[in-house]
Amino acid sequence: MRRIPALVMLVVLVSAVLAACGGGQGGAPGGAGTDEPIRIGVLAPLTGAQSTLGQEEKRGADLAAKMLNEDGGVLGRPIELVYRDGQGSPAEAVQIVRDFANEDINFTLGYVSSAQCLAVTPVAEQLGVLVMSSYCQTTKVTGSEFTENFFRATTSAEMLTRAGAQAIVQEDGDIAEWSSISPDYEYGHITWTIFKNQMELLVDGFEVVGEVWPPFQAASFSDHITKLNNSLSGHDQAGIFSSLYSGDMINMLSQAAPIGLVEGHPFLMLGTDLDAIRPLGQAGNVPTAWISVAYYHEAFDNPVNTEFVKAFQAEYGVVPIGYNATAFMSVTAYAAAIEKAGSTEVQAVHDALEGLTWQTPLGETTIRAEDHQAMFESLAMFKIAPADNEQGFEVTDVITIPGQDVSSPPHPGEVGEFSQ
Amino acid sequence: MSALTVRNLNSYYGSSHILWNVAFDVEEGTSAVLLGRNGAGKTTSFKSIMNLGPSVRGRILLRGEDVTGVPPHRLARRGMGYVPEDRRIYAGFSVTENLRLGGFAFSSNGRPMEPDEVFDLFPLLKPLAARRGGQLSGGEQQLLAVARCLVGRPSVMLLDEPSEGLAPVIARNVLDALRSLRENTDFTLLLAEQNVSFAMNLATHVHVLEQGELVYSGTKEAFDADPALKTRYLSL
Amino acid sequence: MTFDELVIVTVNGISFGFLLFLVAVGLSLVFGVMGILNLAHGAFFMLGAYLAYEFGGAAALSLPLFILVMIGSGLVTAAIAAVLEAALFRRIYYREHLEILVFAFALIFVAEGAVRLQWGPNPLIMSYPEGFASSVSIFGAPVPEWSLLIIVAGLVILAGLAFLLFRTRIGYVIRAVAEDSHMAGALGLNVGLVFTGVFALGALLAAIGGSLVAPTLALTPQLGLLFLVQAFAVVVVGGLDSIPGSLVAAIILGLANSFLVFTFSGWAPYSFYLGLIVVLLLRPQGILGSRELTKQVG
């Protein structure tokens, strides 16, 4: 080979290998018999950079299927989950949806990135496949780029962001000065926009004192930390907003700890869950912060949650976190819709999902007919703080924010007011 | 006794078959020369014997012991010295450091030569001791390559085209050094050359390669007695 | 940019540069001696970080204990690398670069699987050693002590390598094999052994880099890929076979990255690629290198 193509080759290789990782385990096409399993396709990042999330998702979905099947299944038929490993690339997600359709699997859930959701929805519509997002938070799929076959049985970016903003103002007081360290892509920018719009409404004299945009999966956050730290000087009471999550949140906080970036500042973490907090606790770097993931196992006093937490602990030996609950809810939404429709015919299930009300760990939940977004009675917000215990942190406060306070009226086909 | 025996040697680079059933013996203490035109297979023969690249079928014996397939560094330690045609002097190392590298070829009988002993054999190198290998002239590099090989006290030296690329007067110096070496030290020499007159100054036996096949083996006297051989196989 | 910012950006840039140097130096050493671009280096980096966690745990250690853990991780990684070299890599040295690259790359993914099976997919992180969890003030700017320690570690490794290569008999042998491995074999040097040793030494350096990032970067099975492009950029920009070149390139690229975050922050993530493009166009052998990627063993 010649000298220069080495890098080109590397790039090609990386993409080739990443694409090749998309393969997965197939399932035989189902027959038409009445006790044949109802198959639901799950696209989740089971390996790769977001596999923590994907593996948690799988636990939640598996538990839902197990509980439903132990309870006699749906329409007397067992639920079977068919997993495909999707790392986050839109093209890969489209291919997986086509594979699902070819295998006659018309109900799908999962999907990790906003880009994936936006890419698969038009294809799903052509193929007659239903897409239920468990994770992609973008408001576009229920707004400006709404399609008929897309449903979200969980919270949206708007709900999480607004609930977080309301919680921190309600509990920590009217904080007017804010800064952000969020990932430099769609999700990071849209959440900060929603946050600013909500804060304008909540606090007089709301002001941005600094914002930095580290790239996704950066190896070093130190320059962004320094830059943010400098913009915070002279603003000792300013709040910090961050929609970094998983490994990026761990890395940022570990690298920020020596200079005490977040110490003394109100701090809101969006979308970060206990999976990231636990290792930080082991290393003694947990900050005092509010976390907005909508679910906390002790926040909801309803029979479904009680049963969910108990069964989850029995199955996995730990309490469930938000990622588990969202996948659980997506599976039970399909189950409830199929029961309601009395059939597994796609159009019937689609119609049943519109306006479906079912019981979830977050309480009674309804999928709006207009934009297919789930509406919740309330969302849980919790506060963590460093502690001198085995875990290195404790949950010091858990509150709920009413669902009606954090969602706009449906706006299918249009950009919502909070996202502009 | 035969110091080096080559039997049915077939060599290949990838799918090209370079050497065809080459066989010869080099008796202990003699100076054999492998003659042949450019591309006749002289260098490939040496690389095959040293196990430095070509894939090989056949047998190679060093003082009666089968050494076919033995890795180069073990061959070197068993007394097979090799001076490649491009000399392969370490450009970043000084002359003394280059000489010391030759000592790794040494195994057990006695000790490797010290640089001073080498300088006695090659007085031309002595004033260059601290010079970097890359700064030497072609003739100096050739002397150093031979000297480096001698440091390990080889029993057989494979010397590939020492006159190549040297001006005639320099080649003459190298030749003088080699002749005095043949008189003062004790090893078996296998020399590859296409410069017949240079080679005949050292040879006791002659083998001729033509397109990968051995076409003649005999004593120097027999070779000299048949001038047709030179025109047939060697004239350019 | 204020003076405070200038100070801390410079320190950040140099510290990140030294971190990159620690990751890249083994890559450069292995290429310099063996002529192969061993991307499996990323796997050894990851393994080193995980082994440090395995030996040291999540809680804070004293600095001497941390160093011991780091050395232990380095030695175990080196031993694993030596076995891999003897069992697998030596079969492919004479192949094309592309094949070696694909082979090494595949190995990273196998390592990802192995790490996932052993330690699970969830992120892990170590603590800063006792007394190194805060920052010091340099001209009024807060600089993490750990950043300074990484600079010191980089200097120690550099001095240690220089001593090994230029002041010891082993270094003399390594340099001879690096300059001409075929002739070294014909002169009686055991080239295979040197290759195994250098490969293991490269892995040891990668593992030390991995151990040193373990308090600042979440350990995940993808850690092997995280620094790969940066490390690759560092060795190409510095000169594939030049260790001082790697240091110079690492510091230049580290500083460029830091300054871009403060000036044209949108460009910061691309600083390494820009460096690669500039160097490959203007000086393909790299800042201090002598060999281009075309060179193979022998």
Side-chain angles (χ1 to χ4, degrees):
Chain A
M1 55 157 279
R2 302 282 75 85
R3 68 179 110 94
I4 294 175
L7 179 67
V8 179
M9 229 159 49
L10 182 69
V11 173
V12 171
L13 258 174
V14 172
S15 7
V17 176
L18 290 182
C21 290
Q25 54 279 59
T34 49
D35 53 354
E36 285 293 319
I38 298 171
R39 296 190 305 153
I40 299 177
V42 185
L43 187 162
L46 298 172
T47 61
Q50 313 220 53
S51 59
T52 312
L53 195 157
Q55 294 293 340
E56 294 295 351
E57 182 173 9
K58 184 170 186 302
R59 284 174 152 193
D62 282 345
L63 182 66
K66 187 181 176 208
M67 288 168 73
L68 285 164
N69 291 341
E70 281 172 0
D71 216 25
V74 179
L75 302 179
R77 296 165 60 183
I79 295 282
E80 182 191 331
L81 300 176
V82 180
Y83 286 94
R84 287 286 188 284
D85 187 7
Q87 307 278 326
S89 106
E92 182 191 21
V94 167
Q95 186 52 49
I96 291 173
V97 168
R98 290 189 193 282
D99 291 347
F100 281 146
N102 289 339
E103 291 172 41
D104 215 15
I105 295 171
N106 301 313
F107 309 128
T108 73
L109 60 89
Y111 305 93
V112 64
S113 70
S114 300
Q116 273 187 340
C117 278
L118 290 167
V120 299
T121 43
V123 181
E125 189 123 322
Q126 289 165 12
L127 296 169
V129 168
L130 300 185
V131 172
M132 175 105 56
S133 148
S134 309
Y135 292 95
C136 75
Q137 305 265 319
T138 176
T139 45
K140 282 185 185 165
V141 274
T142 52
S144 58
E145 299 188 27
F146 171 78
T147 54
E148 268 299 321
N149 282 18
F150 180 85
F151 293 86
R152 180 153 49 215
T154 63
T155 50
S156 66
E158 178 181 336
M159 291 175 171
L160 283 185
T161 310
R162 291 178 62 186
Q166 291 175 22
I168 202 162
V169 169
Q170 182 184 316
E171 297 299 311
D172 290 2
D174 287 348
I175 305 142
E177 296 179 321
W178 279 91
S179 63
S180 163
I181 177 165
S182 294
D184 194 9
Y185 61 96
E186 154 106 10
Y187 170 73
H189 286 273
I190 196 78
T191 50
W192 177 230
T193 301
I194 295 167
F195 182 83
K196 288 188 289 186
N197 285 331
Q198 175 69 80
M199 274 296 168
E200 293 273 4
L201 298 175
L202 290 173
V203 182
D204 287 338
F206 167 72
E207 188 194 346
V208 174
V209 296
E211 51 185 80
V212 292
W213 301 102
F216 182 53
Q217 290 186 347
S220 168
F221 287 84
S222 55
D223 297 309
H224 295 96
I225 289 165
T226 303
K227 202 173 168 186
L228 186 64
N229 196 46
N230 286 359
S231 35
L232 286 175
S233 85
H235 306 280
D236 295 344
Q237 302 303 312
I240 301 173
F241 168 88
S242 179
S243 51
L244 293 170
Y245 61 92
S246 204
D248 279 353
M249 182 57 100
I250 298 175
N251 296 346
M252 190 277 280
L253 286 175
S254 302
Q255 293 171 28
I259 65 164
L261 174 73
V262 299
E263 257 168 55
H265 294 279
F267 183 31
L268 173 62
M269 294 192 218
L270 188 81
T272 291
D273 210 333
L274 289 174
D275 68 311
I277 302 305
R278 284 174 186 145
L280 284 166
Q282 298 289 310
N285 285 330
V286 170
T288 299
W290 278 96
I291 292 185
S292 173
V293 286
Y295 181 78
Y296 185 72
H297 67 282
E298 286 174 355
F300 300 99
D301 186 16
N302 64 58
V304 174
N305 188 45
T306 308
E307 200 189 348
F308 170 59
V309 174
K310 199 174 134 204
F312 196 92
Q313 277 181 304
E315 189 77 14
Y316 305 112
V318 288
V319 295
I321 62 174
Y323 295 153
N324 307 127
T326 44
F328 183 89
M329 283 152 59
S330 298
V331 175
T332 58
Y334 271 125
I338 291 166
E339 287 283 1
K340 183 179 159 193
S343 115
T344 56
E345 200 260 315
V346 177
Q347 190 58 44
V349 175
H350 169 275
D351 295 348
L353 279 168
E354 289 191 331
L356 176 76
T357 296
W358 84 113
Q359 301 300 322
T360 74
L362 275 70
E364 188 171 280
T365 306
T366 300
I367 293 178
R368 281 201 298 220
E370 297 89 340
D371 65 353
H372 298 180
Q373 170 62 50
M375 293 288 124
F376 301 90
E377 289 180 320
S378 61
L379 277 63
M381 303 287 117
F382 61 98
K383 191 177 192 179
I384 52 166
D388 205 9
N389 58 22
E390 203 180 315
Q391 289 190 306
F393 73 96
E394 58 188 355
V395 174
T396 56
D397 207 350
V398 181
I399 63 166
T400 54
I401 298 288
Q404 64 200 35
D405 293 353
V406 297
S407 44
S408 318
H411 50 83
E414 287 166 23
V415 180
E417 54 172 324
F418 272 86
S419 305
Q420 297 178 23
Chain B
M1 175 188 187
S2 174
L4 177 67
T5 307
V6 173
R7 287 285 172 273
N8 293 325
L9 182 63
N10 286 273
S11 294
Y12 309 80
Y13 275 111
S15 55
S16 19
H17 194 165
I18 311 288
L19 295 183
W20 301 75
N21 294 316
V22 170
F24 58 82
D25 291 81
V26 183
E27 290 300 314
E28 200 153 335
T30 63
S31 297
V33 58
L34 206 51
L35 289 172
R37 293 194 183 96
N38 228 350
K42 304 186 294 295
T43 296
T44 302
S45 301
F46 279 11
K47 287 195 169 166
S48 302
I49 294 168
M50 276 313 281
N51 195 6
L52 280 171
S55 12
V56 167
R57 279 194 294 123
R59 293 216 308 152
I60 294 152
L61 308 176
L62 180 61
R63 300 162 96 186
E65 287 175 48
D66 193 335
V67 293
T68 322
V70 170
H73 73 277
R74 293 237 174 83
L75 275 177
R77 290 176 192 188
R78 285 165 79 160
M80 189 94 86
Y82 174 53
V83 183
E85 65 175 324
D86 49 359
R87 289 125 204 181
R88 301 262 186 145
I89 295 303
Y90 286 86
F93 286 32
S94 72
V95 166
T96 309
E97 284 176 324
N98 265 288
L99 289 174
R100 286 198 189 280
L101 273 181
F104 283 91
F106 187 77
S107 55
S108 54
N109 44 342
R111 53 177 183 76
M113 277 192 199
E114 287 300 318
D116 280 346
E117 296 173 69
V118 180
F119 293 144
D120 289 344
L121 291 169
F122 295 91
L124 282 172
L125 289 177
K126 191 166 184 178
L128 307 173
R131 196 80 66 86
R132 301 239 158 242
Q135 297 171 320
L136 301 184
S137 70
E140 290 163 349
Q141 288 199 348
Q142 185 61 59
L143 292 182
L144 177 56
V146 174
R148 184 177 62 185
C149 181
L150 282 174
V151 168
R153 297 187 199 274
S155 57
V156 175
M157 181 191 287
L158 308 178
L159 178 53
D160 197 358
E161 301 230 27
S163 76
E164 197 202 17
L166 299 184
V169 57
I170 308 292
R172 171 60 56 182
N173 285 345
V174 170
L175 181 63
D176 289 345
L178 289 172
R179 281 157 97 174
S180 98
L181 195 64
R182 290 311 284 142
E183 285 158 21
N184 296 321
T185 49
D186 180 27
F187 61 92
T188 306
L189 178 67
L190 178 58
L191 173 72
E193 261 302 341
Q194 47 181 325
N195 181 337
V196 179
S197 59
F198 183 100
M200 288 307 131
N201 280 302
L202 291 163
T204 58
H205 294 75
V206 176
H207 306 281
V208 180
L209 273 173
E210 161 98 346
Q211 292 186 347
E213 289 184 76
L214 197 72
V215 291
Y216 176 83
S217 285
T219 61
K220 174 181 187 278
E221 289 71 26
F223 181 79
D224 277 344
D226 188 355
L229 281 171
K230 289 185 201 173
T231 44
R232 190 163 154 206
Y233 295 120
L234 301 166
S235 62
L236 296 172
Chain C
M1 190 181 275
T2 63
F3 180 71
D4 273 16
E5 283 178 347
L6 192 69
V7 169
I8 194 158
V9 168
T10 306
V11 176
N12 274 352
I14 291 175
S15 167
F16 188 46
F18 268 96
L19 182 63
L20 290 173
F21 170 69
L22 286 171
V23 180
V25 61
L27 206 57
S28 170
L29 178 73
V30 168
F31 185 87
V33 176
M34 302 164 69
I36 62 164
L37 193 55
N38 175 30
L39 291 187
H41 201 67
F44 298 134
F45 173 79
M46 169 171 70
L47 191 61
Y50 270 99
L51 285 171
Y53 181 89
E54 183 70 31
F55 298 154
L61 306 169
S62 66
L63 186 64
L65 202 54
F66 185 91
I67 291 172
L68 210 62
V69 160
M70 182 171 81
I71 292 171
S73 156
L75 291 177
V76 173
T77 307
I80 292 170
V83 170
L84 280 177
E85 197 278 342
L88 302 177
F89 272 86
R90 66 173 45 176
R91 297 169 195 275
I92 61 159
Y93 289 147
Y94 297 94
R95 307 270 189 85
E96 290 285 311
H97 277 305
L98 178 63
E99 288 177 65
I100 298 175
L101 216 61
V102 172
F103 182 84
F105 209 68
L107 210 69
I108 291 191
F109 283 92
V110 173
E112 176 185 329
V115 163
R116 181 186 301 280
L117 287 176
Q118 180 65 32
W119 286 284
N122 290 330
L124 305 169
I125 196 155
M126 288 182 81
S127 299
Y128 294 100
E130 286 160 9
F132 289 87
S134 53
S135 58
V136 292
S137 177
I138 297 180
F139 296 113
V143 176
E145 287 154 345
W146 194 242
S147 300
L148 299 178
L149 206 77
I150 282 180
I151 295 177
V152 172
L155 290 172
V156 168
I157 298 274
L158 188 67
L161 273 180
F163 181 82
L164 176 75
L165 289 176
F166 294 100
R167 290 281 178 275
T168 67
R169 187 175 160 86
I170 290 174
Y172 174 58
V173 170
I174 291 175
R175 282 186 295 132
V177 171
E179 192 170 324
D180 187 341
S181 60
H182 266 54
M183 194 60 219
L187 287 172
L189 277 73
N190 189 341
V191 175
L193 191 64
V194 172
F195 275 16
T196 307
V198 166
F199 195 84
L201 179 60
L204 184 139
L205 293 168
I208 285 178
S211 308
L212 284 169
V213 301
T216 61
L217 277 179
L219 312 187
T220 67
Q222 289 74 46
L223 193 60
L225 290 166
L226 185 61
F227 275 107
L228 208 56
V229 170
Q230 282 103 324
F232 183 72
V234 163
V235 294
V236 171
V237 169
L240 282 162
D241 57 340
S242 170
I243 289 171
S246 287
L247 179 65
V248 170
I251 290 176
I252 289 176
L253 292 171
L255 281 171
N257 186 66
S258 287
F259 276 91
L260 282 174
V261 169
F262 275 80
T263 51
F264 305 98
S265 62
W267 282 102
Y270 308 102
S271 55
F272 287 83
Y273 305 101
L274 291 173
L276 267 179
I277 288 168
V278 169
V279 163
L280 285 175
L281 285 176
L282 300 182
R283 199 177 157 80
Q285 73 272 40
I287 296 174
L288 294 178
S290 58
R291 268 195 257 170
E292 299 171 13
L293 200 46
T294 41
K295 183 77 167 72
Q296 301 211 9
V297 174

